[in-house]
């Protein structure tokens, strides 16, 4: 139990579907992140939110749309995805950004695009 | 660019101490050493981190050499649930969170009953 909860744990969606991944952190942290982990590839940072403002968007395609309504919740809205988007999507949080601010990850959401 | 070098795999007998080495010979003065582990199909789990001094928490101990060019993660009494891939990462403190967190290949630790 890391204090970062992701739902759903598994999602299968067609390329024309619209779905959302949800993340909630119970740690009182101010920064939240979305990462993508594909098979045999390093972890990829997608988005960073600090105090509910997006501070980082690492050239992620527009078919991925993040939303951070408050400091405890983070969503990743998915639409018209491609099969190559199938991966483990990880939400994470940290108290702040900078020296010694450890990032804590959720269990991840396994996404399969068919 | 890989900032750390770890053995690909290691075995350890259940109940014994597991010592996982990591080389980070190009580490700079403001970079922290972080350890995470990932059990199959789950998100990375934070274990411990340090800058210069040795550190200990309820999960593990981190021994950093005086020149900071290498470190060792010690799991004092390994259990079967410690079987996982262990990642050693060096991160500049001011960039943590912004920087692309590159986990590399890590060490696959297998605990033998």
């Amino acid at each position: 139990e890391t204090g970062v909860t992701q739902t759903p744990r598994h999602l299968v969606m067609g390329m024309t579907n619209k779905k959302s991944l949800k993340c909630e952190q119970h740690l009182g942290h101010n920064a939240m992140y979305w990462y993508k982990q594909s098979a045999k590839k390093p972890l990829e940072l997608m988005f960073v939110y600090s105090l509910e403002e997006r501070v980082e968007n690492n050239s992620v395609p527009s078919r991925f749309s993040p939303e951070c309504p408050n400091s405890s919740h983070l969503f990743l809205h998915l639409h018209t995805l491609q099969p190559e988007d199938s991966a483990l999507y990880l939400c994470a949080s940290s108290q702040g950004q900078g020296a010694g601010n450890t990032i804590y990850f959720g269990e991840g959401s396994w996404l399969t695009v068919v | 660019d890989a900032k750390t070098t770890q053995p690909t795999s290691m075995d350890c007998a259940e109940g014994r101490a597991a010592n996982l080495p990591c080389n980070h010979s190009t580490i700079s003065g403001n970079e922290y050493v972080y350890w995470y582990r990932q059990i199959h199909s789950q998100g990375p789990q934070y274990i411990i981190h340090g800058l210069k001094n040795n550190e200990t928490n309820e999960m593990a101990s981190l021994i950093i050499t005086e020149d900071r060019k290498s470190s060792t993660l010690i799991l004092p009494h390994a259990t079967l649930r410690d079987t996982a891939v262990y990642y050693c990462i060096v991160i500049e403190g001011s960039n943590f969170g912004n920087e692309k967190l590159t986990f590399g290949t890590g060490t696959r630790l297998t605990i033998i009953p």
Side-chain angles (χ1 to χ4, degrees):
Chain A
E1 183 63 46
T2 65
V4 181
T5 305
Q6 290 187 240
T7 55
R9 290 295 316 280
H10 299 271
L11 176 63
V12 179
M13 60 184 289
M15 288 188 285
T16 58
N17 291 160
K18 287 185 181 180
K19 297 286 184 183
S20 296
L21 304 180
K22 178 183 175 182
C23 176
E24 182 174 1
Q25 58 97 358
H26 312 274
L27 301 169
H29 288 169
N30 294 318
M32 296 187 77
Y33 313 81
W34 279 116
Y35 285 88
K36 175 184 177 182
Q37 188 174 37
S38 305
K40 300 182 180 179
K41 284 187 181 179
L43 212 60
E44 301 173 61
L45 178 63
M46 300 176 72
F47 301 104
V48 180
Y49 276 82
S50 180
L51 295 172
E52 301 150 44
E53 285 191 25
R54 191 190 308 181
V55 297
E56 186 83 9
N57 177 349
N58 281 329
S59 303
V60 179
S62 60
R63 57 186 184 270
F64 295 92
S65 174
E67 178 190 0
C68 187
N70 55 62
S71 59
S72 299
H73 293 86
L74 186 65
F75 295 89
L76 187 62
H77 303 299
L78 316 168
H79 61 99
T80 59
L81 294 192
Q82 303 299 311
E84 58 265 28
D85 295 322
S86 299
L88 177 65
Y89 289 84
L90 292 160
C91 176
S93 72
S94 63
Q95 178 60 47
Q97 291 182 286
N101 281 293
T102 302
I103 288 183
Y104 293 90
F105 290 87
E107 297 283 6
S109 294
W110 282 99
L111 173 67
T112 302
V113 181
V114 297
Chain B
D1 291 335
K3 292 185 177 181
T4 63
T5 305
Q6 297 177 253
T8 303
S9 64
M10 292 180 63
D11 292 340
C12 178
E14 187 179 15
R16 306 296 286 268
N19 298 285
L20 291 91
C22 180
N23 287 323
H24 31 79
S25 58
T26 61
I27 193 170
S28 60
N30 60 348
E31 286 186 315
Y32 287 73
V33 179
Y34 273 79
W35 283 84
Y36 283 82
R37 71 182 182 185
Q38 192 166 21
I39 298 169
H40 183 61
S41 302
Q42 297 182 18
Q45 179 187 21
Y46 165 76
I47 302 173
I48 199 167
H49 75 279
L51 183 62
K52 295 180 182 178
N53 300 322
N54 297 338
E55 303 288 345
T56 295
N57 62 21
E58 64 279 3
M59 287 184 68
S61 295
L62 175 61
I63 308 299
I64 303 175
T65 58
E66 193 169 341
D67 63 8
R68 303 210 322 126
K69 293 185 177 181
S70 66
S71 61
T72 301
L73 177 75
I74 301 173
L75 307 177
H77 304 287
T79 70
L80 297 178
R81 287 163 48 170
D82 292 322
T83 293
V85 179
Y86 286 76
Y87 297 99
C88 169
I89 310 158
V90 292
I91 293 282
E92 181 187 335
S94 62
N95 283 336
F96 199 48
N98 287 328
E99 186 165 330
K100 292 177 190 279
L101 202 64
T102 302
F103 273 33
T105 55
T107 296
R108 182 172 298 278
L109 175 67
T110 302
I111 306 301
I112 310 296

